[in-house]
Amino acid sequence: MKSLTLLLSFTCFLGLILQVSQAQEPKEDPPTAPVAVISSFEELEALITRDGVKHETDLESQYIACPTQKGPIDSVIVVRWAMEDGVAHFIQIIPLEIPANRMAAVESAMIRMNHAYPVPGLGYNHGAATMYFRFTVPLLPQGFLTEGEVREYFSYTVNQAALLYYTMEAVASGNVEPEDALTFHNARLSAPAPPTGSYVKELNGSTWTLEFSPDNTVRLFRDKAVAVLSSVTIE
């Protein structure tokens, strides 16, 4: 009887040791899905195609042009895969016409904005008379971007161009001077957003258009002639 009691005690003790041992064994982390990467221009185009984005490809120059629409932006973004330079460029065209007498002011404003802006990227192509916002990211030393990074950089570039459009438009129109561009930009970002765009209504044989401009000017047109010129204040 005493031997049986000792055997049972030993068995329970052994079971307890096994439980403690198993509890202390490190658990393996569940396997994670591999991160999809883009390491060539061909893979970049394949990603944009899979995402259903309309685009045109220039294989020789290694760039892809995609139409974009965001707020005042109705233009094109160019993604250039410059592996020979170790970078990729995301360049959103800003469709803004600049009067000749305001070009110097706009150039000065761009320099001032790039100096103080968190991500300097404003530029102007004098040959093509085109303003743009460019976001450049390194490809080296790893030699690739993840698919998530490509999508994020694409969206970031378009959004920044849309935000900067109103500031540069105010400078180009003469409503804001270059030294005040950054203050104007920051104030606009922190202020409630005014309505923008145009609204059209056919009424009593005439076409009425209510137009809200980025500088808070409001125009009411009757058959393309200004009937009312006013302004809007958001409180």
Side-chain angles (χ1 to χ4, degrees), residues 4-57:
L4 179 60
T5 302
L6 290 174
L7 179 60
L8 289 174
S9 299
F10 178 75
T11 302
C12 293
F13 179 69
L14 180 60
L16 180 60
I17 291 177
L18 290 174
Q19 290 178 10
V20 172
S21 176
Q22 291 172 357
Q24 291 179 345
E25 290 181 357
K27 295 182 179 180
E28 294 184 0
D29 294 329
T32 57
V35 177
V37 299
I38 304 298
S39 58
S40 68
F41 179 75
E42 291 73 19
E43 291 176 351
L44 174 65
E45 184 184 20
L47 171 63
I48 291 177
T49 300
R50 289 199 309 273
D51 284 353
V53 179
K54 294 181 179 179
H55 63 279
E56 294 182 0
T57 302

Side-chain angles (χ1 to χ4, degrees), residues 100-233:
N101 66 334
R102 293 296 297 175
M103 181 58 71
V106 169
E107 290 174 341
S108 177
M110 287 193 295
I111 293 172
R112 294 169 184 269
M113 291 291 291
N114 283 339
H115 172 70
Y117 205 65
V119 180
L122 279 169
Y124 192 83
N125 184 333
H126 289 82
T130 303
M131 183 182 291
Y132 59 83
F133 178 81
R134 174 168 56 193
F135 186 54
T136 300
V137 296
L139 292 174
L140 299 177
Q142 70 271 19
F144 64 85
L145 297 175
T146 68
E147 290 187 354
E149 287 172 337
V150 171
R151 296 186 180 103
E152 183 66 26
Y153 298 154
F154 189 105
S155 298
Y156 177 83
T157 305
V158 176
N159 290 336
Q160 288 299 312
L163 291 175
L164 289 163
Y165 175 95
Y166 294 109
T167 299
M168 302 316 298
E169 191 274 340
V171 175
S173 64
N175 292 326
V176 173
E177 291 306 314
E179 58 270 22
D180 300 322
L182 183 62
T183 300
F184 174 86
H185 184 80
N186 291 336
R188 187 179 179 281
L189 291 183
S190 62
T196 59
S198 299
Y199 304 84
V200 182
K201 178 78 173 180
E202 300 291 335
L203 184 64
N204 296 332
S206 296
T207 300
W208 296 84
T209 304
L210 184 63
E211 179 184 89
F212 294 91
S213 299
D215 61 358
N216 294 344
T217 300
V218 181
R219 296 177 177 85
L220 178 63
F221 296 86
R222 179 177 182 179
D223 297 327
K224 298 185 178 181
V226 177
V228 178
L229 177 61
S230 186
S231 61
V232 61
T233 300

